[in-house]
Amino acid sequence: MSLRFSHRSLSQQVLFGSGQAAEHLAAEVARLGAQRVMVIASPRERRLAERVCARIDVTVWHDGVAEHVPVHVAERGRAVAAERAADLLVSVGGGSTTGLAKAVALTTGLPIVAVPTTYAGSEATNVWGMTEDATKTTGVDDRVLPGTVIYDAELTLSLPVPLSVASGLNGLAHCVDSMWAPRADPINRALAAEGIRALATGLPRVITDPAGLPGREHALYGAYLAAVAFASAGSGLHHKICHVLGGTFDLPHAETHATVLPYVLAYNAPFAPGAAARIAQALGRPADPDEPRAAAEAAVAGLSELRARLGAPTALRDYGLAAEDIPDAVARVLRAAPPSNPRPVSEENLTALLTAAWSGATPSVDPDIPAAPLVPATEAR
């Protein structure tokens, strides 16, 4: 069969170097000719942000950051930008901080320079998200894509190990979802596989040497690749589930993604053996895509082994989801689930998936799935 696909790459500059954030930011502000810089950073990140911004003039500091970007938080950020006539947004922080900068840029058109301090990956996508009335809405708009991303692993040294793990696994979830998302293609699958390898290399090093830079540099590199793959491939079932859990039930973003990931992988992998084999290979478990069950089991085993080494989050009930919330979550996910998901999604199987993730049951491939299910002919190996 001939190779045919459509792929889009986003235009963005990436500056990567430990200890160089302040230098890189000053150069970018000068290059852009910005005169009135609005810096967005949470109170917890303020001292770090001051270090990063030491060589530039800041017109206004804004710390009204909240997880899942409630609409009223976005509106306040937009008002501050207008009041102070900002001509450049600089976000210093994790996904919530980047998300607020995106929400401001969505309506103002202001450019963004993003300086991530976690492995969230939002800085490398043109995806925005906001929450209102217990519903998280997401969209795609090139206005929210940061024009420049400044990666400096030194800025992640203060990120506690448990949050580093959850944030890194959130990045890995971008990779896994990109393997079968609506716009998955050979290029974003290749990026995702390399992202998995980098994260699986870096995160264990963060555990054993939290103050060392090599592990954190690998994790940042992997998180960037994960986000680029995700921006190209689109949002798959995993992200639809986590957007519901975060937006409706106010579950913490990174921990939710880290917890749900192995269950979605176990659910989808047998129906996408080419993707499963790529994931398994990236996790150090070579597998044959012509053996769907074996490839799926290898991918799940590889991820489970990595999660055990990292001491990853295991149960949604630990983060505030109640058992009685599951039916509402299932109904909401059913409305959002991508039709292109490799395995059909139903109320019954989504309930089983979320119940397992709620309780922390061991993720495993469903034994009732045939050893060689039908696979869409378009799946790339």
Side-chain angles (χ1 to χ4, degrees):
M1 183 179 68
S2 61
L3 190 62
R4 296 181 182 179
F5 62 90
S6 173
H7 175 83
R8 183 186 178 210
S9 295
L10 300 177
S11 177
Q12 183 179 69
Q13 177 174 222
V14 174
L15 302 173
F16 200 112
S18 295
Q20 294 185 280
E23 175 187 347
H24 282 154
L25 178 59
E28 279 304 285
V29 170
R31 183 182 69 83
L32 295 168
Q35 300 295 315
R36 302 186 62 79
V37 179
M38 175 175 170
V39 177
I40 300 175
S42 71
R44 186 177 68 84
E45 301 279 20
R46 177 61 182 260
R47 185 173 297 179
L48 203 60
E50 288 176 348
R51 212 173 87 201
V52 172
C53 298
R55 303 186 190 185
I56 67 170
D57 293 326
V58 177
T59 297
V60 57
W61 294 87
H62 183 67
D63 64 4
V65 176
E67 199 162 34
H68 307 302
V69 195
V71 166
H72 72 273
V73 168
E75 290 173 344
R76 179 56 188 153
R78 293 163 180 167
V80 170
E83 289 165 6
R84 303 306 295 270
D87 60 3
L88 175 66
L89 304 172
V90 173
S91 64
V92 182
S96 298
T97 304
T98 309
L100 176 55
K102 288 181 169 186
V104 175
L106 182 64
T107 57
T108 65
L110 289 173
I112 304 171
V113 174
V115 188
T117 61
T118 71
Y119 312 117
S122 175
E123 68 279 353
T125 79
N126 59 350
V127 178
W128 58 267
M130 285 182 279
T131 303
E132 186 175 31
D133 297 331
T135 300
K136 186 167 186 176
T137 301
T138 61
V140 175
D141 195 306
D142 286 348
R143 287 176 295 179
V144 309
L145 177 72
T148 303
V149 183
I150 296 171
Y151 287 109
D152 183 339
E154 286 189 2
L155 303 181
T156 69
L157 291 174
S158 61
L159 192 65
V161 168
L163 189 52
S164 296
V165 167
S167 182
L169 288 173
N170 176 24
L172 203 146
H174 285 100
C175 296
V176 171
D177 228 17
S178 296
M179 293 289 186
W180 42 57
R183 298 188 303 275
D185 64 47
I187 295 176
N188 48 47
R189 285 189 178 107
L191 291 168
E194 176 61 15
I196 292 172
R197 277 190 284 271
L199 286 161
T201 298
L203 291 176
R205 292 184 183 179
V206 172
I207 296 289
T208 57
D209 184 17
L213 289 176
R216 292 186 181 271
E217 287 180 339
H218 266 85
L220 267 183
Y221 165 63
Y224 169 72
L225 290 174
V228 172
F230 175 73
S232 172
S235 184
L237 179 62
H238 170 89
H239 280 78
K240 298 302 185 183
I241 291 172
C242 292
H243 287 164
V244 166
L245 295 176
T248 304
F249 306 103
D250 200 28
L251 269 62
H253 184 84
E255 291 85 350
T256 299
H257 280 268
T259 302
V260 170
L261 174 60
Y263 299 98
V264 177
L265 175 60
Y267 180 81
N268 271 344
F271 289 78
R278 277 178 176 260
I279 294 167
Q281 178 76 36
L283 291 168
R285 297 240 179 181
D288 185 348
D290 290 325
E291 298 180 8
R293 179 183 291 282
E297 290 174 345
V300 172
L303 179 59
S304 296
E305 181 182 2
L306 176 64
R307 286 169 48 82
R309 291 174 66 192
L310 300 177
T314 56
L316 291 174
R317 62 183 176 187
D318 295 337
Y319 298 100
L321 187 71
E324 54 267 29
D325 293 332
I326 292 176
D328 185 18
V330 167
R332 290 171 181 264
V333 174
L334 278 173
R335 292 195 292 270
S340 60
N341 193 63
R343 181 178 180 182
V345 178
S346 69
E347 180 179 357
E348 180 182 5
N349 54 36
L350 262 184
T351 299
L353 188 158
L354 284 175
T355 300
W358 173 82
S359 68
T362 301
S364 60
V365 176
D366 187 344
D368 293 331
I369 292 174
L374 292 175
V375 181
T378 55
E379 189 200 2
R381 292 290 175 93

